[in-house]
Amino acid sequence: MVANHLEEESYLTSKKGISSWLFTLDHKRIGLMYLVSVMFFFFMGGLFAILLRMELWSAGETIVKAKQYNQLFTLHGAIMVFLVIIPGIPASLGNFVLPLQLGAKDVAFPRINLMSYYIYVVGALIALSSLFVGAIDTGWTFYTPYSITTDGGVVVMVFAAFVLGFSSIFTGVNFIATVHKLRAPGMTWFRMPLFIWGIYATAIIQIMATPVLAITLVLLIIERVFHVGIFDPQLGGDPVLFQHFFWFYSHPAVYIMILPGMAVISELITTFSQKRIFGYKAIAYSSIAIAVISFLVWGHHMFVSGQSELVGMIFSALTFLVAIPSGVKMFNWAATMYQGSISLATPMLWAMGFFLLFAIGGLTGCFLGTLSIDVHLHDTYFVVAHFHYVMVGGTFMAFMGGIFYWWPKMTGKMYNETMGVWSVILVVLGFNLTFFVQFLMGAQGMPRRYYHYLDQFQIYHQISTVGSFLLGFGFLFSVITLLVSLKHGKKAPPNPWHAATFEWTETASPPIEHNFHHQPICTRGPYEYDQIAKSV
Amino acid sequence: MDSVKELLSMRLPVASTMSWLPEAASTAASSVDWLFYFLIWSCVGLFLLVVVPVIWFSIRYRRKIEGQKALSQVDHNVKIEAAWTLLPCIYLAFLFYWGFIGFVDLYTIPFNAKTLRVIGQKWNWTVQYPDDDISVSGQGAVIGVPLGQPVQLIMSSQDVIHSFFVPNFRIKQDVLPGRYSSIWFQATKIGEFPVFCTEYCGDEHSKMLAIIKVMPQDEYQEWLTKKKGEDVGLPPLELGQKLYTQKACNACHTLDGTPKIGPSFKGIYGHMTQLEGMAAVKVDDGYIRESILEPQAKIVKGYPPVMPTFKGQLSESDINALIEFIKSLK
Amino acid sequence: MVANQITKPNFPLADHFDSPEQQVDAGKLGMWLFLATEILLFGGLFVAYAIFHNLHPELFKAGHRYLDVKLGAINTVVLLFSSLTVVLAIHAAQKNKTSMVALNLVITLVCAVTFLVVKYFEYTHKFHAGLLPGYFFTNGEIPAPDQAHIFFGIYFLMTGLHGIHVVIGIIVLLWLLVRSLKGEFNEQYYLPLELGGLYWHLVDVIWIFLFPLLYLIR
């Protein structure tokens, strides 16, 4: 039996030729295609970030004019949000790992899965084509009435975000149906790995919030083209209504970004501690709690937009409420390591980096939830630093951790451990150098999206710029580490980390096209390290 | 233009270089600052509380030999879990309460407040003093206010959303088109404090600056009197030159012939100019007047139709003065 | 394996599913989730409607008089009837009456096209009268303040988005018709019919909300 299995080819080599990739219905291949696309756009967005930091080396013109600077930060934001962080973990790692962890042969709707990938590609191309119509300078939030009056390809970019929304919706529908209907025999809800819980909670937000964004963007396009007067104050409309609509989506979207990151971290911490996760149900439920409460906090982006004190009070209270489940997760992860058998391999180091940076990101969120403090900090670099700590320090660190964790499974190759460790060190150092000073500068009153700035901020800006180069180099080095492994890496065993979930225990590295030779049967929880059966 | 440069090189009054917040100069600042510093120190504490154990665990329980098993598989402890859920609740409830109290203070305007009207437009602030019949405007405009007296700002925008931010006073409020928003402060320190626009509004967003100048009462009265007298009896050409920077014409129109967001003023008077979609038109007094009051009526070819109207902001003599000024630019 | 024993002969089972039941359940769940997103999509417009109705109730009173209640009512009946025929088509499939499936689908399609034709006449009338959104609003006789264009903006947005859904519905129905003519549906396999039917019901239900909100508002 075993010998027969080894002869069957992996999903990577079972079919050949470019069209076997382009028209594949295999969730693993689609996941890889997403991964490559997302990484491509990550480096493009990163390039814009480096240009921004170079511009800010000195006040006034350093390398570009004010208009181009505004276009650069808009592109940086729009690409990173819509093309990188939102699809990032769910569409790439989620696609690859979720069916494997569930013991399923594929996602519930493989054709819709492929379709959502192509919708993503089309959306991305539309977004890039806005550059040729005239780069937009509205900021990624497209606030009205500025976005109605400024020139450039606003309609094209907004339409791109609209299209990308559908990709996100279809992915969400697919994952929910898969989790509900395609679990392996014996896999009850509380035997699911926490990664699945996180992706499941994410999918709920994706399908509930994204349609509202879609209609908001449609309204914006209609407003700009036909001047309907919904958002345009000159025609009797309400520009603040746009902010309500936009944040009703975009705040939950913040959790579309961070929940999958937390989901990855839950897997990493338990595996590399060889210990059952502490408070499984607390972590699972807290994901769902975050998903639900995240719909009720959008107003905290608008404390100074002229809403009443009462509304401000309610949103502030709800914002603090959503902080609790995130805090609980942090404590649970820490407790998981207690009395474990901890290995500081590269994926675990990414998780440690996440822990450090996300702690800072989360705690600085307390400043912004506190009403009177937020008045001073709103729209300053403090906010910029805060969300970079959460989005890059949180989500993206987890994303990298996940890639390094599942890389042997995806490619069948082990990367060089020393290079992996250095990647983490470079990124964590570069990141803190870039963004920590921005807390200081923001608290002292440096507004965001400023091309000119007062002299006193120059030293902070210069430290930040130096840091951004280190950070960029760190990410480049990480990718090089991975790419080198494709050619020179050792062959990966089926379960190099001694993990206890299906994708490691029940299938080879890389898996065969239909994932498993036999339908796996689930007889235990996902983190029972004592009971890992003999590997495949 | 010069005033902006000056402002850009001015340092915000910060107590010391390593301080987190800029120098406090209003009554609101004191009620905000203690909470800010409380947050900083409590967050440092909380940070250490989660990070130190994690680092300690990763040293203490580091895997020594391949295949080593965990010391235990303990996966829950109701007491500890209840503690780390409830204690943060108390901490956050405290933050919420004091944040809300401070917030209400920031927006509850004292009845004896002196009213100033603020108009935001791309890319400058105009502040009108309704009681004293004067106004100041332009990038880097100096807004005089009396020490120790509450001042209320009633704000609206000509075009897009702006936001009025005075770091030293810890106040910020969005300025919206088509509606009024307000905020107040009571200055407690004499000095000059910068005003930033903090809602992104386009190309010169970062130059949309002003200075609040806090003066003792008697000096403030002198300032008001001086302001009132300033514009009277100025020859039209000089008044026009002044308005050119004060009304921020310079944000879009240069004097040296280089095109910016709008066409340069240099040498246009008396010449033909090509319009969008229509024939050419001669730049004369009537055309300039129309362009100031109804900017969208005729759009010069190759420029975006983005100029706001100045209807109601300029007197007849102001408009005449601007025409004289443009005329003088050969 | 175990799964294969319960496979039905006339059921095209996708190879990543274990049983027809699983495939049907997954398909239906997916469709319901998608319908939820559709409702949220329209939900945004309903919120906008509520806000502006709250701000300017007089616009809606003045505006709705310019909508043709009779045509709106006809369309409501037409759509309700088409929902019935979709149900009949599914019913026929369950009874293995292949020709009745096709017939009912054709009737549904006729209803859908009728709806669009009526809508076309309504729209052309508005175009001629200048009752259009925003800058294009040129009607001078309407006894409402100068923001009457907002009502027509909302009217065209809501009915337009609904109209797009009708068009997509027609494409789906055509696809179902082709498959039914090929005889693909039978008592064991009629999942696509059910899913298409669910979608068509949604289009219907949304219209049932739009009709009173726009045409009958007082």
Side-chain angles (χ1 to χ4, degrees):
Chain A
M1 264 305 262
V2 174
N4 275 342
H5 291 165
L6 290 176
E7 282 160 21
E8 192 165 343
E9 290 210 62
S10 78
Y11 79 101
L12 290 170
T13 49
S14 63
K15 287 184 181 136
K16 296 201 168 56
I18 185 84
S19 63
S20 78
W21 280 88
L22 294 180
F23 301 108
T24 182
L25 296 179
D26 183 349
H27 68 98
K28 299 183 286 305
R29 286 189 167 197
I30 294 174
L32 276 195
M33 295 200 296
Y34 263 119
L35 184 61
V36 172
S37 316
V38 165
M39 276 299 165
F40 172 78
F41 288 112
F42 172 70
F43 279 97
M44 180 184 278
L47 182 68
F48 290 136
I50 297 277
L51 290 175
L52 285 172
R53 286 307 332 161
M54 280 165 71
E55 167 54 41
L56 289 168
W57 182 261
S58 65
E61 186 172 337
T62 312
I63 54 167
V64 294
K65 299 234 184 296
K67 178 95 180 165
Q68 281 122 32
Y69 171 79
N70 296 339
Q71 291 166 339
L72 278 175
F73 74 63
T74 304
L75 279 167
H76 168 69
I79 288 177
M80 287 304 201
V81 170
F82 294 113
L83 293 175
V84 179
I85 298 263
I86 287 181
I89 296 178
S92 59
L93 295 180
N95 247 321
F96 188 92
V97 175
L98 181 120
L100 288 171
Q101 282 196 336
L102 284 173
K105 294 191 205 80
D106 206 320
V107 291
F109 314 116
R111 263 177 295 203
I112 291 180
N113 200 17
L114 181 66
M115 184 174 85
S116 67
Y117 174 71
Y118 280 110
I119 294 176
Y120 170 81
V121 171
V122 169
L125 290 177
I126 297 175
L128 292 186
S129 70
S130 78
L131 286 172
F132 299 102
V133 185
I136 75 165
D137 67 336
T138 60
W140 77 276
T141 50
F142 311 124
Y143 268 18
T144 54
Y146 186 76
S147 56
I148 306 172
T149 49
T150 184
D151 54 350
V154 177
V155 169
V156 180
M157 184 55 106
V158 170
F159 183 66
F162 173 80
V163 171
L164 289 166
F166 279 95
S167 169
S168 189
I169 288 175
F170 288 132
T171 306
V173 168
N174 221 334
F175 285 173
I176 291 186
T178 309
V179 171
H180 273 270
K181 300 296 173 193
L182 291 182
R183 301 197 303 276
M187 183 171 283
T188 58
W189 282 85
F190 291 114
R191 279 182 183 168
M192 292 195 312
L194 286 166
F195 180 71
I196 304 217
W197 274 100
I199 296 287
Y200 180 74
T202 308
I204 291 177
I205 310 180
Q206 279 178 315
I207 66 165
M208 284 181 65
T210 317
V212 179
L213 174 75
I215 198 67
T216 309
L217 298 177
V218 167
L219 285 171
L220 179 56
I221 292 174
I222 301 269
E223 184 69 66
R224 207 178 140 91
V225 177
F226 297 108
H227 305 278
V228 181
I230 303 238
F231 299 136
D232 189 348
Q234 294 202 331
L235 294 166
D238 182 356
V240 181
L241 181 63
F242 176 83
Q243 296 181 25
H244 280 292
F245 272 178
F246 184 82
W247 289 114
F248 182 82
Y249 163 78
S250 291
H251 196 78
V254 170
Y255 294 96
I256 294 179
M257 306 174 204
I258 192 66
L259 275 174
M262 294 169 157
V264 170
I265 296 301
S266 296
E267 295 294 311
L268 298 186
I269 300 238
T270 155
T271 300
F272 290 92
S273 304
Q274 285 296 297
K275 189 162 161 276
R276 241 178 272 161
I277 192 106
F278 194 93
Y280 173 95
K281 286 196 181 176
I283 295 182
Y285 284 135
S286 64
S287 294
I288 305 294
I290 288 174
V292 173
I293 305 173
S294 71
F295 281 94
L296 308 172
V297 298
W298 78 89
H300 71 215
H301 293 267
M302 301 164 61
F303 284 152
V304 299
S305 73
Q307 62 189 9
S308 74
E309 283 96 358
L310 179 71
V311 176
M313 180 186 92
I314 294 168
F315 281 124
S316 169
L318 289 165
T319 300
F320 283 128
L321 199 60
V322 82
I324 305 241
S326 308
V328 166
K329 281 179 197 258
M330 295 290 281
F331 295 129
N332 277 317
W333 292 326
T336 302
M337 293 172 69
Y338 173 69
Q339 294 197 330
S341 165
I342 297 167
S343 149
L344 292 180
T346 308
M348 185 61 166
L349 284 180
W350 285 109
M352 294 293 95
F354 168 97
F355 204 86
L356 187 79
L357 302 180
F358 186 72
I360 298 175
L363 288 167
T364 50
C366 294
F367 287 67
L368 301 171
T370 307
L371 280 163
S372 59
I373 308 292
D374 182 67
V375 171
H376 178 64
L377 297 177
H378 178 78
D379 269 348
T380 64
Y381 265 75
F382 194 94
V383 176
V384 176
H386 161 72
F387 70 71
H388 278 93
Y389 265 88
V390 176
M391 300 287 84
V392 184
T395 307
F396 215 82
M397 293 295 284
F399 191 22
M400 295 304 284
I403 295 172
F404 276 80
Y405 177 55
W406 280 298
W407 187 258
K409 186 55 64 180
M410 291 193 268
T411 63
K413 299 283 185 180
M414 299 300 287
Y415 45 81
N416 181 314
E417 191 60 25
T418 316
M419 284 174 79
V421 170
W422 274 104
S423 312
V424 185
I425 293 172
L426 286 171
V427 168
V428 171
L429 279 182
F431 183 87
N432 279 308
L433 202 55
T434 312
F435 291 106
F436 198 82
V437 282
Q438 296 190 0
F439 282 125
L440 259 149
M441 147 158 83
Q444 291 187 5
M446 169 79 208
R448 68 191 283 201
R449 296 175 169 175
Y450 259 35
Y451 176 75
H452 297 87
Y453 52 80
L454 307 195
D455 281 351
Q456 76 172 96
F457 295 121
Q458 186 165 24
I459 183 70
Y460 301 131
H461 276 298
Q462 293 185 341
I463 293 172
S464 189
T465 304
V466 171
S468 71
F469 277 96
L470 189 59
L471 179 61
F473 178 69
F475 279 124
L476 207 60
F477 191 76
S478 319
V479 170
I480 290 170
T481 304
L482 292 173
L483 293 181
V484 165
S485 81
L486 286 181
K487 195 149 170 59
H488 304 290
K490 276 188 293 194
K491 191 175 169 355
N495 190 359
W497 316 119
H498 201 64
T501 42
F502 278 168
E503 82 274 28
W504 299 108
T505 60
E506 300 292 324
T507 183
S509 299
I512 57 165
E513 194 183 352
H514 291 288
N515 292 354
F516 308 101
H517 294 289
H518 297 292
Q519 170 67 58
I521 312 284
C522 185
T523 55
R524 55 171 172 83
Y527 308 117
E528 312 275 328
Y529 294 96
D530 307 343
Q531 302 176 33
I532 301 175
K534 197 171 72 73
S535 300
V536 177
Chain B
M1 207 63 184
D2 284 333
S3 55
V4 179
K5 259 189 203 148
E6 224 171 84
L7 184 70
L8 286 168
S9 62
M10 185 181 78
R11 299 175 75 85
L12 269 171
V14 177
S16 74
T17 40
M18 275 318 287
S19 152
W20 274 92
L21 293 168
E23 185 191 18
S26 74
T27 50
S30 55
S31 77
V32 170
D33 291 7
W34 76 265
L35 191 54
F36 184 88
Y37 286 108
F38 170 78
L39 265 161
I40 289 204
W41 291 114
S42 61
C43 282
V44 168
L46 285 168
F47 178 74
L48 295 177
L49 193 73
V50 293
V51 169
V52 169
V54 162
I55 292 172
W56 167 241
F57 292 161
S58 56
I59 297 166
R60 170 71 182 75
Y61 302 115
R62 181 103 186 247
R63 197 180 299 167
K64 308 279 181 341
I65 42 165
E66 194 63 28
Q68 184 181 338
K69 291 237 177 345
L71 289 174
S72 81
Q73 288 291 341
V74 55
D75 63 0
H76 66 281
N77 181 324
V78 177
K79 275 186 201 153
I80 291 180
E81 288 179 76
W84 71 43
T85 311
L86 294 176
L87 292 180
C89 285
I90 296 168
Y91 172 69
L92 295 177
F94 175 85
L95 290 185
F96 164 73
Y97 176 76
W98 284 105
F100 178 61
I101 296 293
F103 186 66
V104 171
D105 283 350
L106 283 176
Y107 287 91
T108 308
I109 295 156
F111 67 95
N112 61 341
K114 176 185 170 62
T115 300
L116 302 185
R117 289 190 171 276
V118 175
I119 300 159
Q121 81 177 79
K122 289 180 192 168
W123 290 282
N124 66 91
W125 299 102
T126 299
V127 179
Q128 297 171 323
Y129 292 66
D131 302 339
D132 307 289
D133 203 25
I134 61 160
S135 73
V136 295
S137 64
Q139 291 181 344
V142 177
I143 306 163
V145 297
L147 178 73
Q149 188 187 345
V151 176
Q152 173 191 16
L153 306 175
I154 298 178
M155 308 191 283
S156 60
S157 165
Q158 277 272 320
D159 36 48
V160 299
I161 301 176
H162 302 282
S163 192
F164 193 91
F165 175 36
V166 190
N168 298 87
F169 294 172
R170 318 284 188 263
I171 58 167
K172 181 182 289 134
Q173 174 64 49
D174 283 4
V175 180
L176 303 159
R179 69 171 73 167
Y180 291 105
S181 54
S182 53
I183 195 155
W184 76 282
F185 60 85
Q186 181 175 336
T188 55
K189 282 221 170 75
I190 292 170
E192 294 190 340
F193 305 103
V195 177
F196 296 115
C197 173
T198 47
E199 186 63 70
Y200 171 69
C201 58
D203 288 3
E204 298 204 11
H205 171 51
S206 59
K207 279 193 178 175
M208 192 164 159
L209 309 171
I211 298 169
I212 288 189
K213 187 176 183 189
V214 181
M215 296 170 273
Q217 274 294 345
D218 48 347
E219 201 182 311
Y220 171 67
Q221 290 306 334
E222 265 174 51
W223 180 82
L224 280 179
T225 328
K226 198 170 136 242
K227 267 279 154 200
K228 272 183 213 167
E230 223 168 50
D231 295 348
V232 181
L234 217 55
L237 192 60
E238 275 175 45
L239 179 61
Q241 186 160 24
K242 206 175 140 219
L243 287 168
Y244 169 73
T245 45
Q246 208 177 63
K247 295 292 173 190
C249 309
N250 58 358
C252 304
H253 304 278
T254 64
L255 301 181
D256 56 5
T258 44
K260 221 171 163 186
I261 292 148
S264 173
F265 284 161
K266 187 184 164 72
I268 55 167
Y269 190 86
H271 291 87
M272 301 297 284
T273 189
Q274 194 67 36
L275 295 180
E276 202 73 68
M278 273 194 289
V281 68
K282 190 175 174 194
V283 179
D284 56 13
D285 292 22
Y287 169 76
I288 294 175
R289 183 191 168 80
E290 184 188 48
S291 298
I292 293 172
L293 298 179
E294 283 168 43
Q296 311 303 332
K298 296 192 177 78
I299 305 293
V300 178
K301 198 175 176 98
Y303 293 94
V306 291
M307 180 166 157
T309 175
F310 285 82
K311 209 181 242 170
Q313 293 185 49
L314 293 170
S315 67
E316 280 303 307
S317 62
D318 288 346
I319 294 172
N320 289 343
L322 275 169
I323 293 172
E324 284 304 318
F325 175 62
I326 292 172
K327 211 178 198 171
S328 74
L329 301 164
K330 294 284 168 9
Chain C
M1 284 185 253
V2 191
N4 291 336
Q5 289 161 9
I6 42 171
T7 304
K8 298 173 181 175
N10 290 327
F11 194 98
L13 183 66
D15 60 2
H16 61 289
F17 287 113
D18 290 332
S19 67
E21 286 73 23
Q22 194 185 27
Q23 183 170 349
V24 170
D25 285 354
K28 279 195 196 162
L29 178 67
M31 194 64 198
W32 278 108
L33 290 169
F34 178 69
L35 294 189
T37 69
E38 288 279 11
I39 287 170
L40 284 159
L41 186 75
F42 277 94
L45 283 182
F46 284 120
V47 169
Y49 175 95
I51 288 168
F52 281 95
H53 186 259
N54 205 19
L55 282 175
H56 312 286
E58 71 284 357
L59 297 184
F60 289 75
K61 275 182 201 141
H64 97 275
R65 294 209 186 90
Y66 289 78
L67 302 185
D68 194 325
V69 181
K70 215 180 286 168
L71 290 181
I74 291 173
N75 261 350
T76 311
V77 174
V78 166
L79 274 193
L80 277 175
F81 182 70
S82 73
S83 253
L84 176 71
T85 52
V86 163
V87 175
L88 289 177
I90 298 169
H91 194 68
Q94 286 167 336
K95 295 259 156 80
N96 266 334
K97 294 179 189 159
T98 317
S99 54
M100 283 301 283
V101 176
L103 178 67
N104 276 306
L105 285 176
V106 170
I107 299 175
T108 314
L109 272 167
V110 170
C111 289
V113 173
T114 312
F115 179 89
L116 285 183
V117 170
V118 172
K119 208 80 237 135
Y120 168 78
F121 283 116
E122 280 192 75
Y123 275 9
T124 37
H125 168 253
K126 304 272 169 329
F127 275 78
H128 288 308
L131 295 163
L132 291 169
Y135 284 173
F136 305 100
F137 186 85
T138 49
N139 187 292
E141 44 187 286
I142 189 163
D146 47 349
Q147 284 153 356
H149 64 85
I150 293 184
F151 175 80
F152 289 97
I154 289 174
Y155 167 81
F156 275 102
L157 261 171
M158 292 182 114
T159 56
L161 188 64
H162 179 259
I164 290 172
H165 279 79
V166 174
V167 173
I168 294 169
I170 289 177
I171 295 168
V172 171
L173 288 167
L174 278 172
W175 172 69
L176 289 173
L177 182 62
V178 170
R179 289 189 68 175
S180 77
L181 289 174
K182 284 189 195 158
E184 285 185 26
F185 301 129
N186 54 57
E187 59 182 336
Q188 285 167 356
Y189 182 70
Y190 51 86
L191 179 64
L193 270 181
E194 266 192 304
L195 300 184
L198 277 175
Y199 178 79
W200 190 249
H201 292 320
L202 175 92
V203 172
D204 192 10
V205 166
I206 287 170
W207 178 256
I208 287 176
F209 279 97
L210 290 184
F211 177 60
L213 282 178
L214 292 170
Y215 290 76
L216 303 178
I217 190 87
R218 298 255 175 257

